[in-house]
Amino acid sequence: MTYDLWYWPTIPGRGEFVRLVLEAGGIPYRDRAREEGAEALMKDLASRGEREPFAPPYLVDGDFCIAQAPHICAWLGDRHGLGAGDLPTDLWLIQLQLTIADAVAEVHNIHHPVALMETYEKQKAEAARAAEGFRRDRIPKFLGYFERSLAGREWFAGSKWSFADLSLFQLVEGLRYAFPRRMGAVEKDVPGVVALRDRVAALPELQDYLHSDRRLPFNENGIFRHYPELDAE
Amino acid sequence: MTYDLWYWPTIPGRGEFVRLVLEAGGIPYRDRAREEGAEALMKDLASRGEREPFAPPYLVDGDFCIAQAPHICAWLGDRHGLGAGDLPTDLWLIQLQLTIADAVAEVHNIHHPVALMETYEKQKAEAARAAEGFRRDRIPKFLGYFERSLAGREWFAGSKWSFADLSLFQLVEGLRYAFPRRMGAVEKDVPGVVALRDRVAALPELQDYLHSDRRLPFNENGIFRHYPELDAE
């Protein structure tokens, strides 16, 4: 069985959270829009009928289709044994995953605070103001929360990585790309989060992927964007 | 067994999505912060240790605690038979629930586009710009999506209401409160969504609740706020 993953082909975005689970789990998939382009994605999306996803990413397995990045990650975790294996912990991992998704949505809001359908350049002043509070209050709040949730363990669920660990890695990578100066100042307060990030980066299961061109670099069309004017210590 | 629900005591907010599931499902619960106040909520939250929620609402059952409104709704649906009962449809209901949560987050962003920790009054100009695109593009996009997802059925899952139907009702109620002029113009294009809203409002299971003082009115401290200057046809 090979899944079809559909996501915008030129950005890591929310698709990357799903891709990391597929790659680290050794789960066969085709990255359809990277093979066939954004038009193929839009055509596929429009063809999905009553249970169409609201937006990419979505994952297809025959007649079955599932959307919403944290939902896909949790479902893959359940189906492929990439969770904790006990219900309360698996539910908690989903809770963490949803909190990571909330952080990702806030990151997007920084460069698009007032006009979702327009470019960053048309809302630079507003973005500068949004970035200020995000840097000062929200980055430490989110990362401090994950630090406390790890509580010194190697992985959220204890001795084994899960989809939520992979996603925290991607959040840290994205924040480092978008806010390198601020992250430089914050990271010393969240050593457990940084160590987890390093542990994911070193996972044998991910070495091939992370050094391949399947791993898309961050860029200024995506969710995590580096605009130097939005960053500061 | 009686659950403890913890949420800010003076606003419907995200807690209301959980409350509607509890009430319509006839599930015993105590609304702890409404009985004991916001300070008791903050104290309880701070006492929860490694698996503390990032934010209210959260639901407690003995040692077990679950947070993130869409996650709580889905979990209650599973545990109390308030979903569809077949896995693909239940997964799809969660997907809808997460999309409703995305819409709710966007609504909050309208009155707090650039400074999460400050008041609306300190970001009125930015809010006015954010509201423009939300009214024009996003309200029709979200409601049109749910209209197509309903595809003429009475309920998302067919013949029986689920947690997702209750949440769509609350989203429509909130949008009507916050953007009455815009909703007056949009609703004619989404008759299935409006009919579902009416069906939930008429559910025998909810009559007592909806007419009780347990049902909190919308107000300008919550997520759905009525600022006439942000509304237009």
Side-chain angles (χ1 to χ4, degrees):
Chain A
M1 182 226 41
T2 298
Y3 292 108
D4 284 325
L5 171 66
W6 287 97
Y7 190 66
W8 305 114
T10 57
I11 61 168
R14 290 181 170 88
E16 190 63 16
F17 294 90
V18 178
R19 220 176 262 123
L20 283 168
V21 181
L22 293 165
E23 293 280 354
I27 302 166
Y29 73 103
R30 292 175 61 193
D31 207 335
R32 291 291 300 273
R34 291 208 61 198
E35 296 175 12
E36 299 163 45
E39 271 185 48
L41 164 58
M42 284 181 282
K43 196 172 153 193
D44 185 82
L45 185 56
S47 76
R48 300 230 145 254
E50 290 176 20
R51 293 193 182 181
E52 68 174 296
F54 184 75
Y58 57 95
L59 196 70
V60 176
D61 178 17
D63 289 338
F64 177 73
C65 173
I66 184 166
Q68 284 276 1
H71 191 36
I72 306 172
C73 292
W75 179 74
L76 283 171
D78 183 54
R79 201 177 200 196
H80 295 274
L82 307 174
D86 77 280
L87 183 61
T89 304
D90 280 327
L91 289 166
W92 179 62
L93 291 175
I94 296 172
Q95 186 176 310
L96 292 166
Q97 186 74 32
L98 289 166
T99 305
I100 293 169
D102 286 345
V104 171
E106 286 192 28
V107 167
H108 186 271
N109 192 54
I110 299 312
H111 51 75
H112 277 78
V114 293
L116 214 55
M117 312 304 282
E118 290 172 31
T119 62
Y120 163 65
E121 285 68 26
K122 295 201 173 159
Q123 47 201 313
K124 285 181 78 166
E126 293 90 343
R129 199 173 157 199
E132 210 182 298
F134 183 76
R135 284 196 313 266
R136 186 189 55 230
D137 304 324
R138 303 300 282 176
I139 293 181
K141 185 170 166 81
F142 277 114
L143 296 185
Y145 172 74
F146 295 123
E147 182 78 14
R148 292 195 302 284
S149 299
L150 274 166
R153 290 186 306 281
E154 288 207 352
W155 308 105
F156 281 124
S159 58
K160 184 181 98 157
W161 62 264
S162 72
F163 55 90
D165 301 287
L166 304 176
S167 291
L168 183 60
F169 159 82
Q170 182 64 10
L171 177 65
V172 171
E173 289 296 277
L175 289 172
R176 282 183 175 182
Y177 176 80
F179 304 100
R181 296 178 63 192
R182 182 58 178 147
M183 285 296 277
V186 167
E187 287 192 16
K188 65 178 185 317
D189 299 326
V190 289
V193 168
V194 174
L196 180 142
R197 179 259 161 227
D198 293 346
R199 231 169 267 128
V200 171
L203 276 181
E205 298 91 323
L206 280 178
Q207 292 316 300
D208 175 58
Y209 172 63
L210 292 177
H211 300 96
S212 74
D213 62 7
R214 301 198 301 286
R215 170 88 172 160
L216 284 161
F218 294 108
N219 62 65
E220 282 58 55
N221 293 312
I223 290 174
F224 295 99
R225 303 184 182 191
H226 180 54
Y227 295 123
E229 65 273 23
L230 299 185
D231 191 22
E233 277 184 25
Chain B
M1 184 225 41
T2 299
Y3 292 108
D4 283 325
L5 171 67
W6 287 97
Y7 191 65
W8 306 113
T10 57
I11 61 169
R14 289 179 170 89
E16 190 63 17
F17 295 91
V18 178
R19 220 176 261 123
L20 281 168
V21 180
L22 293 165
E23 292 282 353
I27 301 166
Y29 73 104
R30 291 176 59 192
D31 208 335
R32 291 289 299 271
R34 291 207 63 198
E35 295 176 13
E36 300 162 46
E39 270 184 49
L41 164 58
M42 285 182 280
K43 197 173 155 192
D44 184 82
L45 184 57
S47 75
R48 300 230 145 253
E50 292 178 17
R51 295 194 179 179
E52 67 176 297
F54 185 74
Y58 57 96
L59 196 70
V60 175
D61 178 17
D63 289 338
F64 177 73
C65 173
I66 186 168
Q68 284 277 2
H71 192 35
I72 307 171
C73 291
W75 178 75
L76 284 171
D78 183 53
R79 199 177 203 195
H80 295 274
L82 307 174
D86 77 280
L87 183 61
T89 304
D90 281 325
L91 289 166
W92 178 62
L93 291 175
I94 295 172
Q95 186 175 313
L96 292 166
Q97 186 76 31
L98 289 165
T99 305
I100 292 168
D102 286 346
V104 171
E106 287 193 28
V107 167
H108 186 271
N109 192 55
I110 297 313
H111 51 76
H112 276 78
V114 293
L116 214 55
M117 313 303 283
E118 290 172 31
T119 62
Y120 162 66
E121 285 68 26
K122 296 201 172 158
Q123 48 201 313
K124 285 181 77 166
E126 294 90 342
R129 198 171 157 201
E132 210 182 298
F134 183 76
R135 284 196 312 266
R136 185 188 59 228
D137 304 324
R138 303 300 282 177
I139 293 179
K141 185 170 166 83
F142 276 113
L143 295 185
Y145 172 74
F146 295 122
E147 181 78 15
R148 293 194 302 285
S149 300
L150 275 167
R153 290 186 305 283
E154 287 206 354
W155 308 105
F156 281 123
S159 58
K160 182 180 98 158
W161 63 263
S162 73
F163 55 89
D165 301 287
L166 303 177
S167 291
L168 183 59
F169 159 82
Q170 182 64 7
L171 177 63
V172 171
E173 290 296 278
L175 289 172
R176 281 183 175 182
Y177 176 79
F179 304 100
R181 295 178 63 194
R182 182 58 179 149
M183 285 296 278
V186 167
E187 286 193 15
K188 66 179 182 319
D189 298 326
V190 291
V193 168
V194 174
L196 180 142
R197 180 258 159 227
D198 293 346
R199 232 170 265 126
V200 172
L203 275 181
E205 298 91 323
L206 280 178
Q207 291 318 298
D208 175 57
Y209 172 63
L210 291 177
H211 300 97
S212 74
D213 61 9
R214 299 198 302 287
R215 169 91 172 158
L216 283 161
F218 294 108
N219 63 64
E220 283 57 54
N221 293 313
I223 291 176
F224 295 99
R225 302 183 184 193
H226 181 54
Y227 295 123
E229 64 273 23
L230 299 184
D231 190 23
E233 278 184 22

